[in-house]
């Protein structure tokens, strides 16, 4: 059975923290008859939002993992992914946008375009996702959707066009005027299910006509037919819809809709806009790389009859084993059919195929092109491509930032240790930005992530979902070591024990790499076979072992070039081991001569709060060795952008709250590595020496 792909939409709902994304999704589920009662996000009724299926999400009132669901509006199937707004869960947003065709950018009509809206917008641009904007919370004190539209233009560079104007704002917000039909819509009855169409109130008529002119001028740029119709004064609704659709799909227009999800106003027109203006799978260009043909780009066809190509974009470990979310870009996938995992070159059979609705599942027998479905019990990683066996295509994977913060964790007892191992295994598989390893020296388990909240949430989940009680050490910053000048080495490794000995001699130099050249380069300039070619890789391996841990504070060494110029070998005593040891010794000898320095991660921090606290915010950043890059005032609201070392940001949220009476909030993401001041370098070196002495004395 083939389905009409044009009657399918894959959309995401993304925005700044607390703009009301999850509340909006809850209303969409309700109006599409997916749920039969509305629950609030901060679960006052003890239920919590449907899409925040994790207990932790309901308590904190934030979305952590993106949840997928599907609804039907009119005759169109809509797959929705509700994504987190918090910067620590960036990967969830990246993951969702990678597989979506369109998005709703939710903005708060009071807060407007906030720091996280900017990050989300940048991610949408990275994946060329067309969007419509929804200005939520028009019922709140200080609501001003017109200001938000202006900010979309000035701060995000969108060609934002109001498709509606509000009927009353703040506590007088009753409905919207649609500038296409020129009618007023009110949302009445319990839960706003009855849409009542009336004439535009007299006091709004002039404003509506003026805004309609602005809207027509903007959208007519995308349709010559509409332009002609405007000259002849024969504008039809179809012509406007077609022009808006063209503008939205070309990413050159952002239609703006209004309402209040919490008060059940304006959701149904927004759903109509999703059908009218956001693309169906056939209108989006998706490319794969042909691995059999020098990674040449291939355009995928949104056609059920073509050979299947799907991308595994998210993994979840549930009670029945691993669940793999897939987006089908070409062809269809049937239960029992055979697919091939391009990365590990393994074939597998599709056992269970399901559709997800938050944490409920429905078994299906086939999934069509453009669909988002899930598979059970398949061994794969996030970002793998599945194809028919005779294709060797790979979808480009998503961008994964490196973790910047580490934390040592210790299980409280043997049972907690087993459970902790299970939890870490699952979390690292699900979340590419969460990593873990065991420190060979202290034997402690180390976890790494994108920020304090990120790691907090995982520790909390270990306790709840795995009953693993863990103790945590102080958070550690991922420092790096680097050299600041060239240094030569000439080192001989000689060891004579019973039988054959070990002998290897290496001569050459190390020098710092320019920014952007990478972390490590090895160059072989040995002439005349003084070091036999079979031992050159051993030298490279020795150097690589050496850069894993610097001698100053024991962190990895970055930005270094090792050049091997000469050496000597012995017919009997030389071996791989001998040359590895020689390279290691040579590195250690030259490293201190190359004036090593310590680098620390510098974060891009954005603080938002009332203007009256601007002085306090500046002060708090200056105290933390921060550099203020920009500060913007917008009425009684200000935003401060700064670059601050990560080591100074621990516990900042508590301090910021007390300085601003809890009215300011901040987000941060990794920017670059910068040199640590000398006085702090000395302190770190001292600590490292003491730690070494302690361990040696044990």
């Amino acid at each position: 059975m083939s389905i009409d792909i044009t009657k399918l939409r894959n959309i995401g709902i993304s925005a700044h923290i607390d703009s009301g994304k999850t509340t909006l999704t809850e209303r969409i589920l309700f109006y599409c008859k997916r749920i039969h009662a509305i629950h609030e996000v901060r679960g006052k009724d003890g239920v919590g939002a449907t899409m925040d299926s994790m207990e932790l999400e309901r308590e904190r009132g934030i979305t952590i993992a993106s949840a997928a669901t599907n609804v039907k509006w009119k005759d169109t199937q809509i797959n929705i992914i509700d994504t987190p707004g918090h910067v620590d869960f960036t990967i969830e947003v990246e993951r969702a946008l990678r597989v979506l065709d369109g998005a709703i950018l939710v903005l708060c009509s009071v807060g407007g375009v906030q720091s996280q809206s900017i990050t989300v917008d940048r991610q949408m641009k990275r994946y060329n996702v067309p969007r419509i904007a929804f200005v939520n919370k028009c019922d709140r004190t200080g609501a001003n959707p017109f200001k938000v539209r202006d900010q979309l233009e000035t701060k995000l560079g969108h060609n934002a066009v109001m498709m509606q104007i509000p009927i009353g704002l703040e506590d007088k917000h009753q409905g919207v005027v649609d500038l296409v039909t020129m009618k007023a819509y009110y949302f009445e009855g319990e839960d706003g299910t009855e849409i009542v169409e009336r004439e535009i109130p007299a006091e709004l008529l002039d404003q509506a006509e003026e805004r309609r002119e602005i809207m027509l001028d903007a959208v007519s740029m995308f349709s010559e037919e509409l332009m002609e119709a405007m000259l002849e004064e024969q504008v039809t609704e179809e012509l406007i819809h077609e022009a808006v659709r063209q503008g939205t799909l070309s990413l050159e227009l952002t239609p703006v809709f209004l309402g209040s999800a919490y008060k059940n106003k304006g959701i149904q027109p927004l759903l109509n806009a999703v059908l009218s203006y956001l693309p169906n799978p056939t209108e989006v260009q998706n490319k794969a790389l042909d691995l059999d043909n020098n990674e040449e780009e291939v355009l995928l066809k949104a056609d059920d009859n073509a050979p299947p190509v799907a991308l595994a974009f998210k993994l979840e470990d549930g009670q029945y084993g691993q669940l793999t979310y897939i987006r089908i870009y070409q062809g269809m996938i049937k239960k029992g059919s055979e697919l091939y995992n391009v990365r590990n070159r393994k074939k597998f059979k599709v056992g269970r195929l399901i559709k997800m609705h938050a944490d409920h599942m429905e078994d299906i027998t086939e999934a069509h092109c453009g669909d988002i479905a899930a598979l059970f019990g398949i061994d794969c990683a996030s970002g793998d491509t599945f194809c028919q066996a005779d294709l060797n295509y790979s979808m480009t994977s998503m961008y994964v930032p490196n973790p910047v913060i580490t934390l040592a964790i210790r299980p409280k007892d043997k049972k907690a240790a087993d459970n902790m191992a299970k939890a870490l295994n699952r979390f690292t598989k699900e979340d590419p930005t969460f990593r873990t390893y065991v420190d060979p020296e202290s034997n402690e388990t180390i976890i790494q992530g994108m920020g304090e909240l990120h790691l907090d949430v995982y520790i909390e989940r270990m306790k709840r979902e795995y009953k693993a009680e863990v103790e945590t050490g102080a958070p550690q910053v991922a420092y790096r070591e680097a050299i600041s000048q060239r240094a030569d080495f000439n080192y001989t490794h000689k060891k004579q024990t019973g039988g054959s000995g070990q002998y290897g001699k290496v001569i050459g130099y190390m020098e710092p790499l320019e920014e952007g050249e990478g972390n490590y380069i090895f160059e072989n300039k040995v002439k005349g076979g003084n070091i036999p070619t079979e031992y050159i890789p051993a030298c490279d391996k020795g150097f690589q072992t050496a850069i894993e841990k610097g001698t100053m504070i024991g962190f990895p060494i970055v930005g270094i070039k090792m050049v091997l110029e000469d050496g000597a070998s012995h017919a009997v005593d030389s071996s791989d081991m001998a040359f590895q040891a020689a390279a290691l010794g040579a590195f250690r000898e030259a490293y201190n001569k190359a004036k090593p320095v310590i680098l620390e991660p510098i974060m891009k921090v954005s603080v938002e709060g009332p203007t009256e606290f601007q002085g306090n915010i500046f002060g708090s950043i200056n105290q933390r060795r921060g550099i203020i890059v920009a500060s913007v005032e917008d009425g009684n609201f200000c935003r401060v952008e700064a670059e601050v070392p990560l080591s100074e940001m621990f516990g900042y949220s508590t301090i910021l709250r007390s300085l601003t009476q809890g009215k300011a909030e901040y987000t941060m993401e990794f920017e670059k590595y910068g040199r640590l001041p000398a006085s702090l370098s000395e302190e770190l070196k001292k600590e490292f020496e003491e730690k070494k002495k302690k361990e040696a004395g044990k």
Side-chain angles (χ1 to χ4, degrees):
M1 166 194 108
S2 76
I3 57 162
D4 183 357
I5 300 180
T6 58
K7 296 269 186 268
L8 177 67
R9 300 285 181 277
N10 288 315
I11 65 163
I13 296 182
S14 43
H16 186 83
I17 311 150
D18 270 357
S19 309
K21 294 183 296 301
T22 305
T23 308
L24 173 63
T25 314
E26 195 75 2
R27 298 309 185 263
I28 290 176
L29 294 178
F30 177 74
Y31 294 126
C32 294
K33 304 199 167 35
R34 206 46 162 110
I35 53 175
H36 303 297
I38 292 175
H39 298 294
E40 295 320 322
V41 174
R42 292 191 189 265
K44 292 189 187 73
D45 54 2
V47 181
T50 311
M51 297 299 274
D52 286 348
S53 53
M54 214 186 289
E55 202 179 296
L56 195 58
E57 295 181 310
R58 295 180 178 180
E59 265 174 44
R60 295 194 179 204
I62 58 170
T63 303
I64 293 168
S66 50
T69 186
N70 60 86
V71 298
K72 203 165 179 147
W73 180 247
K74 300 191 169 164
D75 56 351
T76 302
Q77 190 75 29
I78 306 177
N79 289 322
I80 299 176
I81 294 190
D82 171 28
T83 58
H86 210 287
V87 76
D88 285 18
F89 308 108
T90 294
I91 191 70
E92 289 286 344
V93 186
E94 290 278 345
R95 225 188 313 233
L97 291 177
R98 172 70 188 80
V99 298
L100 294 172
D101 302 330
I104 300 174
L105 178 62
V106 185
L107 300 151
C108 165
S109 71
V110 184
V113 172
Q114 292 162 282
S115 60
Q116 195 62 26
S117 328
I118 296 171
T119 305
V120 170
D121 185 64
R122 195 172 61 233
Q123 289 170 320
M124 285 186 195
K125 284 181 178 143
R126 184 183 292 142
Y127 297 112
N128 294 327
V129 178
R131 62 274 204 199
I132 53 183
F134 179 67
V135 181
N136 192 16
K137 304 194 175 184
C138 286
D139 59 312
R140 276 192 42 196
T141 310
N144 184 350
F146 300 108
K147 182 190 83 181
V148 182
R149 190 223 67 90
D150 297 344
Q151 286 181 349
L152 273 168
E153 198 170 304
T154 52
K155 292 187 179 180
L156 299 181
H158 285 220
N159 175 11
V161 177
M162 306 277 281
M163 302 304 290
Q164 302 170 331
I165 59 168
I167 302 174
L169 281 171
E170 301 182 350
D171 54 356
K172 297 185 178 65
H173 178 56
Q174 295 171 322
V176 293
V177 171
D178 185 322
L179 300 178
V180 178
T181 59
M182 286 304 271
K183 289 275 190 269
Y185 293 97
Y186 297 87
F187 304 89
E188 295 178 1
E190 200 187 338
D191 301 329
T193 42
E194 289 168 37
I195 306 169
V196 181
E197 182 183 304
R198 298 197 180 115
E199 289 306 311
I200 299 174
E203 69 275 13
L204 287 177
L205 203 53
D206 290 351
Q207 188 191 11
E209 278 168 358
E210 183 189 323
R211 287 278 168 182
R212 178 178 161 98
E213 283 306 309
I214 298 172
M215 182 266 296
L216 286 174
D217 278 347
V219 304
S220 62
M221 306 306 271
F222 302 98
S223 159
E224 285 181 9
E225 290 171 8
L226 178 61
M227 232 174 226
E228 284 169 19
M230 280 166 68
L231 294 173
E232 292 161 14
E233 295 194 354
Q234 288 178 343
V235 176
T236 64
E237 288 174 24
E238 280 68 41
L239 283 174
I240 300 176
H241 287 315
E242 194 42 48
V244 176
R245 185 178 178 81
Q246 290 310 324
T248 309
L249 295 186
S250 66
L251 303 183
E252 288 172 31
L253 181 78
T254 305
V256 181
F257 294 85
L258 320 170
S260 160
Y262 184 60
K263 292 282 167 69
N264 312 315
K265 294 192 190 332
I267 311 303
Q268 298 93 326
L270 179 69
L271 281 166
N272 293 338
V274 167
L275 305 198
S276 304
Y277 308 139
L278 288 181
N280 65 54
T282 63
E283 292 168 307
V284 181
Q285 271 203 356
N286 286 303
K287 295 186 179 115
L289 306 176
D290 187 348
L291 302 181
D292 292 339
N293 194 358
N294 288 331
E295 299 206 349
E296 201 171 295
E297 285 196 341
V298 191
L299 258 177
L300 296 176
K301 296 196 288 284
D303 178 2
D304 269 358
N305 302 318
V309 177
L311 175 77
F313 67 95
K314 178 178 159 81
L315 307 180
E316 253 177 36
D317 215 357
Q319 66 236 59
Y320 308 115
Q322 182 176 300
L323 186 63
T324 307
Y325 284 85
I326 56 169
R327 158 76 204 258
I328 305 169
Y329 285 100
Q330 177 175 295
M332 59 191 283
I333 290 178
K334 292 183 176 162
K335 201 171 159 175
S337 60
E338 201 167 70
L339 290 176
Y340 165 79
N341 183 339
V342 177
R343 182 185 53 89
N344 62 16
R345 317 191 90 69
K346 283 186 183 161
K347 282 185 178 170
F348 63 88
K349 227 182 172 77
V350 177
R352 268 183 86 185
L353 188 62
I354 53 177
K355 270 285 226 211
M356 290 301 290
H357 166 51
D359 55 352
H360 303 294
M361 309 167 196
E362 294 161 30
D363 276 281
I364 51 176
T365 52
E366 54 186 35
H368 297 269
C369 185
D371 237 340
I372 289 175
L375 304 171
F376 251 123
I378 284 163
D379 183 30
C380 66
S382 189
D384 282 358
T385 306
F386 303 146
C387 297
Q388 193 169 298
D390 54 357
L391 289 183
N392 196 7
Y393 288 177
S394 169
M395 301 293 296
T396 50
S397 60
M398 58 214 164
Y399 165 77
V400 178
N402 281 322
V404 289
I405 176 172
T406 61
L407 197 59
I409 55 173
R410 282 180 301 280
K412 288 196 175 161
D413 50 41
K414 174 77 180 79
K415 188 165 177 267
D418 297 345
N419 291 345
M420 180 179 96
K422 276 186 207 154
L424 291 179
N425 191 11
R426 169 184 166 187
F427 298 153
T428 46
K429 227 175 169 181
E430 287 181 12
D431 180 352
T433 57
F434 177 76
R435 297 173 199 176
T436 172
Y437 66 94
V438 174
D439 183 350
E441 279 181 13
S442 63
N443 234 345
E444 285 184 318
T445 302
I446 308 290
I447 55 175
Q448 300 174 303
M450 301 307 295
E452 278 183 286
L453 178 68
H454 192 201
L455 297 184
D456 268 359
V457 162
Y458 277 121
I459 288 164
E460 197 53 38
R461 282 182 65 187
M462 274 183 226
K463 285 180 188 162
R464 293 181 183 205
E465 294 170 35
Y466 285 89
K467 307 281 180 281
E469 288 288 334
V470 295
E471 292 169 349
T472 56
Q476 264 276 314
V477 174
Y479 290 106
R480 293 287 178 264
E481 295 185 23
I483 56 171
S484 56
Q485 64 182 45
R486 177 183 154 145
D488 297 295
F489 55 82
N490 179 342
Y491 186 85
T492 309
H493 172 71
K494 223 184 203 162
K495 211 172 187 181
Q496 202 64 45
T497 47
S500 64
Q502 287 186 7
Y503 180 86
K505 181 176 185 179
V506 290
I507 300 170
Y509 62 89
M510 59 169 64
E511 63 181 6
L513 285 170
E514 291 295 311
E515 208 172 300
E517 282 189 292
N519 283 337
Y520 169 78
I521 292 177
F522 171 71
E523 200 175 317
N524 172 23
K525 287 187 176 174
V526 178
K527 301 271 190 302
N530 285 349
I531 299 179
T533 41
E534 69 261 30
Y535 296 141
I536 301 289
C539 297
D540 181 17
K541 200 171 172 191
F543 292 139
Q544 287 198 41
T545 307
I547 65 168
E548 282 171 11
K549 236 180 177 153
T551 52
M552 293 168 75
I553 55 167
F555 277 91
I557 299 165
V558 293
I560 195 165
K561 181 178 184 177
M562 301 302 303
V563 181
L564 190 60
E565 296 180 303
D566 202 358
S569 67
H570 185 281
V572 180
D573 292 354
S574 284
S575 65
D576 262 15
M577 282 297 294
F579 273 101
Q580 269 192 53
L584 194 60
F587 187 96
R588 299 244 159 98
E589 178 189 81
Y591 184 59
N592 288 335
K593 290 191 283 189
K595 295 235 168 98
V597 293
I598 298 173
L599 304 177
E600 60 177 345
I602 308 287
M603 308 302 280
K604 185 170 133 202
V605 177
S606 171
V607 188
E608 298 190 345
T611 315
E612 61 192 280
F613 299 115
Q614 196 172 17
N616 292 4
I617 294 170
F618 279 1
S620 72
I621 288 170
N622 291 333
Q623 277 169 352
R624 292 179 160 59
R625 298 193 285 122
I627 296 165
I628 289 165
V629 183
S631 83
V632 187
E633 281 187 42
D634 179 12
N636 50 11
F637 209 67
C638 73
R639 187 167 88 242
V640 181
E641 305 273 348
E643 289 177 359
V644 191
L646 175 65
S647 58
E648 304 285 344
M649 290 299 292
F650 294 129
Y652 184 59
S653 47
T654 320
I655 285 159
L656 184 66
R657 268 187 220 122
S658 63
L659 285 175
T660 60
Q661 298 168 11
K663 290 177 186 165
E665 54 179 39
Y666 80 98
T667 56
M668 68 174 182
E669 52 193 312
F670 174 70
E671 176 82 5
K672 60 183 181 199
Y673 270 98
R675 196 184 275 201
L676 188 70
S679 58
L680 292 167
S681 294
E682 288 309 314
E683 272 176 42
L684 281 178
K685 280 190 229 167
K686 261 191 213 144
E687 277 172 31
F688 182 63
E689 287 305 321
E690 280 166 18
K691 192 172 145 196
K692 266 187 10 192
K693 273 184 202 153
K694 251 190 213 162
E695 278 168 10
K698 271 182 189 170

